[in-house]
Amino acid sequence: QFTYISLDDYRIIIDQLYGDNIRNTDDRNPVSYTVFINPPLSRIGLSEAEAREKGLDIAVAKLPVNRIPKALLINETEGFLKAIIDKNTKKILGCSLFCVDSSEIINTIALAMKTNQDYTVLKDFIFTHPSMSEALNDLFGMID
């Protein structure tokens, strides 16, 4: 379905044939994806509705793109960023990004989720300025 999943499948097969036989699909999740529309839509993890259906105690942060300095600078102000956080564990449960460069930004969120980081890692991280990624400071800063 996705090119990057096919690449991971290839890595698993090569490891099975010639490697240590330790790679598998068990540790694949969470997997992000991007729909390349204008602006692109990128997602990972649970949606707000899915988290509520599971009965999780969540915090929701939503940031309009027109509040991001880089978006204003390049005149690409359409869209929003949305994050779903587990209030008890401070873990990122999911994220939706509908903005320019979302296909790049989602990778940072995926890495934080994959390594089981609290949302505060992205809230407090020093991103370059101006960049779209620095909006993660503001998005996750809305949780506190």
Side-chain angles (χ1 to χ4, degrees):
Q1 182 176 357
F2 297 118
T3 303
Y4 42 92
I5 297 298
S6 297
L7 173 61
D8 193 53
D9 289 342
Y10 167 79
R11 291 174 181 157
I12 291 168
I13 291 168
I14 292 299
D15 182 58
Q16 299 285 319
L17 293 173
Y18 305 109
D20 299 326
N21 201 23
I22 57 173
R23 292 192 69 128
N24 58 56
T25 59
D26 293 342
D27 67 348
R28 188 176 271 175
N29 289 324
V31 174
S32 60
Y33 69 87
T34 298
V35 179
F36 289 95
I37 55 179
N38 189 20
L41 172 65
S42 301
R43 291 204 59 237
I44 190 167
L46 299 177
S47 68
E48 179 180 357
E50 291 167 334
R52 292 193 190 286
E53 285 173 13
K54 290 179 179 271
L56 298 171
D57 187 16
I58 62 171
V60 178
K62 190 171 178 181
L63 178 69
V65 172
N66 64 9
R67 291 186 45 205
I68 302 170
K70 175 71 174 192
L72 294 167
L73 185 68
I74 63 174
N75 199 28
E76 294 279 353
T77 57
E78 182 180 355
F80 66 90
L81 288 70
K82 183 176 182 180
I84 313 302
I85 306 298
D86 185 310
K87 285 184 181 178
N88 299 315
T89 65
K90 297 187 176 187
K91 303 301 180 203
I92 304 166
L93 298 174
C95 202
S96 297
L97 309 173
F98 181 54
C99 65
V100 66
D101 292 339
S102 69
S103 61
E104 297 292 336
I105 303 165
I106 200 72
N107 294 317
T108 301
I109 295 165
L111 185 59
M113 290 175 71
K114 182 74 172 181
T115 58
N116 206 30
Q117 300 295 315
D118 290 353
Y119 77 90
T120 56
V121 167
L122 297 178
K123 179 189 83 148
D124 298 330
F125 191 81
I126 301 172
F127 291 96
T128 58
H129 173 80
S131 69
M132 289 299 290
S133 296
E134 74 176 321
L136 297 177
N137 292 145
D138 294 333
L139 177 66
F140 290 106
M142 299 174 125
I143 301 298
D144 293 334

